[in-house]
Amino acid sequence: MRWSAEEDFHRWMLSRARENGFTFLNFNLYQPQLAKNEYFFDPSHLNRYGAAAVARYIAASSGISWPR
């Protein structure tokens, strides 16, 4: 059930991103890089190390067209 809800949410967010012109990255797809226990304060919230890792990932992402 949870996986089905995640897939529905992912499709919904992709649709909103296309309609409104923003980039949506689903971090559930990047488990090996960003799902380390030491990155989380609790099961749902990043700590400062996790926030820094996500920020580095976003900054280096080729999937985002950063303004120049």
Side-chain angles (χ1 to χ4, degrees), residues 1-14 24 26-29 31:
M1 178 68 178
R2 180 181 166 106
W3 184 251
S4 175
E6 287 284 337
E7 288 178 331
D8 290 345
F9 176 73
H10 186 238
R11 281 192 297 274
W12 182 82
M13 282 300 297
L14 286 173
F24 170 66
N26 183 354
F27 286 101
N28 288 326
L29 301 177
Q31 292 296 324

Side-chain angles (χ1 to χ4, degrees), residues 2-53:
R2 180 181 166 106
W3 184 251
S4 175
E6 287 284 337
E7 288 178 331
D8 290 345
F9 176 73
H10 186 238
R11 281 192 297 274
W12 182 82
M13 282 300 297
L14 286 173
S15 174
R16 299 294 84 72
R18 280 190 298 273
E19 290 172 7
N20 296 291
F22 65 87
T23 301
F24 170 66
L25 298 175
N26 183 354
F27 286 101
N28 288 326
L29 301 177
Y30 310 110
Q31 292 296 324
Q33 298 154 291
L34 301 174
K36 298 177 182 176
N37 285 338
E38 63 264 23
Y39 286 169
F40 289 87
F41 176 74
D42 61 36
S44 299
H45 298 94
L46 294 170
N47 61 26
R48 63 183 173 159
Y49 305 108

